[in-house]
Amino acid sequence: MKKIRSPLFYVGDKYKLMPQLSNLFPNNINTFYDVFAGGGSASINTFAKKHELNDLDQKIIELHLFLQKETQNLNVFLDKMYEIIKFYGLSHSEIKINSKINELKKEFKKTYFSKYNKEFYIKLREDYNENKNRNDLLYLLLIYGFNHMIRFNSQDKFNLPVGNVDWNKNVTSSLKNYSRWVNKSNISMFNLDFESFVNTRNPVKNDFFYFDPPYLISFSDYNKLWNEKEEFRLYSLLDDLNERGIKWGLSNMVQHKGQQNNILLEWAKKYNEYSIKSNYISRFDNSIKKNSIEVYITNFNGEKLIKEN
Ligand SMILES: C[S@@+](CC[C@H](N)C(=O)[O-])C[C@H]1O[C@@H](n2cnc3c(N)ncnc32)[C@H](O)[C@@H]1O
């Protein structure tokens, strides 16, 4: 199966794991509920009659809605974005790598784009912070920012530094794929806590809930508000769905950098657990690759639902 990357290039993005996960999802999904949608890779790579994507992060939902509207007319959108890139003087390697970048490349082998873009990026960031309804600028900040992340400080100012990345051909091709997905799908977006989202759905036969929560034992910006209490709240919701005969799947990590999620290991015994091969690498710590065990847990094994706990 060809995997498609979301144009949000989200941290913790599931796109590389989707060929394995898709094999474990039910066939003929009616509504696919992507409860912790993030960049939306699970939805983009799953065929369903309807997609409902939810995330607690308001900005990520805003960006999805922005891209869903703009990519309906992709060429017009691309032209607009290319104009803004030109206006700020940012590099645009999809079109051209200029001589100054080539010079910087010799001296700064791993940081030449960030050296080139730093000042232009800061101007872009200032302009966005002055005008927060400019989602076009926010999307560019994501493309040119450190690790493609979105981060705001306590004063609600976007505060991520420039990254060693720019608008290359992968950005355009991911937007093309996203646009195709949007145009052929029936999509709804929600900005709710996971429990409220799930409890306000009215699932019918062949609906499927996919959960990709922050992992208790790993670190990223969106893990800040996740803790053992949240973990238990999630498991009790999953038990409840199971008792109601509703199909779900959960991605998670049982081992990471010497830590083990014992709450998960204990709870998961009553369900089906599959190990997922991951080639997750952190740019800071290659050891993560060897120390992490990713799993997929489901109350559905292709034939039947587990209805009793
Ligand atoms: C592992 S990421 C999901 C990645 C996603 N599957 C992808 O492929 O891009 C977890 C997501 O959960 C969201 N989140 C954290 N706490 C939440 C909550 N209480 N309710 C709903 N979403 C939450 C975070 O904002 C983050 O986007």
Side-chain angles (χ1 to χ4, degrees), residues 14-69:
K14 281 292 160 302
Y15 93 107
K16 281 192 184 153
L17 308 185
M18 281 319 291
Q20 294 174 73
L21 293 173
S22 296
N23 275 335
L24 300 167
F25 287 176
N27 297 322
N28 303 321
I29 300 173
N30 183 51
T31 299
F32 181 75
Y33 300 99
D34 197 349
V35 183
F36 298 88
S41 283
S43 291
I44 299 171
N45 288 288
T46 301
F47 183 74
K49 286 200 183 117
K50 189 167 191 297
H51 289 92
E52 296 202 357
L53 284 77
N54 175 65
D55 203 284
L56 189 62
D57 185 334
Q58 190 196 337
K59 290 289 173 194
I60 208 74
I61 296 300
E62 259 180 43
L63 274 178
H64 272 293
L65 289 168
F66 167 75
L67 291 179
Q68 282 166 25
K69 182 163 171 273

Side-chain angles (χ1 to χ4, degrees), residues 10 12-14 36-41 55-56 192-194 212-214 222:
Y10 207 63
D13 191 320
K14 281 292 160 302
F36 298 88
S41 283
D55 203 284
L56 189 62
L192 296 169
D193 170 64
F194 69 88
D212 184 24
Y222 53 68

Side-chain angles (χ1 to χ4, degrees), residues 222-244:
Y222 53 68
N223 281 45
K224 277 190 304 221
L225 299 174
W226 198 261
N227 51 37
E228 287 192 5
K229 199 170 152 226
E230 293 297 272
E231 193 88 353
F232 281 118
R233 192 159 69 91
L234 174 62
Y235 298 156
S236 111
L237 180 70
L238 291 168
D239 287 341
D240 178 50
L241 288 176
N242 182 56
E243 275 163 31
R244 290 163 55 200

Side-chain angles (χ1 to χ4, degrees), residues 23-27 247 272 274 298-305:
N23 275 335
L24 300 167
F25 287 176
N27 297 322
K247 293 175 207 156
N272 301 308
Y274 299 87
T298 180
N299 67 338
F300 170 78
N301 71 0
E303 290 143 28
K304 60 176 179 23
L305 274 168

